[in-house]
Every structure is written in structure tokens, then in C-alpha cells.
Amino acid sequence: MTTTAPSVLFVCVHNAGRSQMAAAFLTHLGGTRVAVRSAGSAPADAVNPAVVEAMREVGIDISAETPKMLTARAVEASDVVITMGCGDACPYFPGKRYLDWTLDDPAGQGVGAVRPIRDSIEERIRGLLAELGIEVRA
């Protein structure tokens, strides 16, 4: 019997901050035991530099990441869809688990304002991994 890794999609408007941090934490802490995607309903041109710096502070480099467009295919291919302020732009498919994480938007903020958002996302990711029965990678 083969077990398929659960697939999680993080969605925010610009895919330049919150969803990028969440995807990076889930990849970092879950490793290959979870498939990770992130996207935005109106993607920015680049990941927020303050977000890149805040993640670098905790040893995760997301400087090579680029914002991606949200597609129905990405939602359909995911087991869990976590929205972070995309409103009604996220397509709904029956049978998917949808969560909405209310988090401040790091857009236009400095690293000092991004740190608490980053830390809240990490805490939520650790909780999600526990719910999925996936041990946090050391």
C-alpha cells in the first residue's frame, strides 16, 4: 500500500508575503512528507523584500521564489486550501478542506512588522503538521 503525501495550497492576493512564508515553513518543517503550493489571485512582480529578510533571519531562504497565479487546477490538486485574505477569488471544489487564516498583510511593512506575522505563520504551520499527523523535521 502506498501513501500519498497530503497536498496544501496557500493563497493570498499577491503571493508575495503570507503565502510565501507559509509555503516555505511547511516545506522546511514537513520536508517531502507534504506537497506544498502557493499562489495569488493578483500576483505581485516579486516577493516582498522584508518577507525575504524576515525568513532569512530564521534560516529559510526564499529569495529565489516568485509569485504565482492562482489556478483552479492548483486548488483541485490540493487536499487542504488555506486562504490568507484572498476573499472570494479562491475557487471552491467539494471535498477539499478549506481554512482561512486571518493575518496582517506584510505589504509595505518593514522587517520589524513582518516578524510577528512570520512567527504566527510558523506556529500555525506547526499546528497544521500536527493535524496532518506529520512529524516536524529536525
Side-chain angles (χ1 to χ4, degrees):
M1 182 171 110
T2 55
T3 334
T4 315
S7 176
V8 179
L9 170 65
F10 296 99
V11 182
C12 67
V13 175
H14 301 297
N15 191 223
R18 296 165 289 189
S19 55
Q20 291 284 348
M21 287 190 283
F25 272 124
L26 188 56
T27 299
H28 181 75
L29 298 171
T32 59
R33 295 161 296 176
V34 62
V36 182
R37 294 178 181 85
S38 72
S41 54
D45 293 330
V47 175
N48 179 334
V51 167
V52 172
E53 181 58 32
M55 293 301 286
R56 186 176 288 125
E57 290 177 354
V58 294
I60 300 174
D61 182 7
I62 62 169
S63 61
E65 296 298 326
T66 57
K68 295 164 233 24
M69 176 59 82
L70 175 64
T71 64
R73 175 178 270 166
V75 176
E76 195 170 25
S78 301
D79 300 309
V80 181
V81 179
I82 300 174
T83 57
M84 304 170 155
C86 70
D88 295 332
C90 191
Y92 178 81
F93 288 94
K96 306 293 173 194
R97 180 177 176 204
Y98 288 85
L99 301 171
D100 185 44
W101 290 356
T102 303
L103 295 156
D104 290 337
D105 188 348
Q109 303 293 321
V111 176
V114 173
R115 286 183 189 116
I117 301 166
R118 173 201 66 201
D119 295 345
S120 178
I121 290 171
E122 180 182 10
E123 184 177 314
R124 291 170 191 236
I125 292 297
R126 289 179 180 277
L128 177 65
L129 284 166
E131 287 175 29
L132 295 173
I134 297 172
E135 189 174 325
V136 172
R137 189 170 74 169

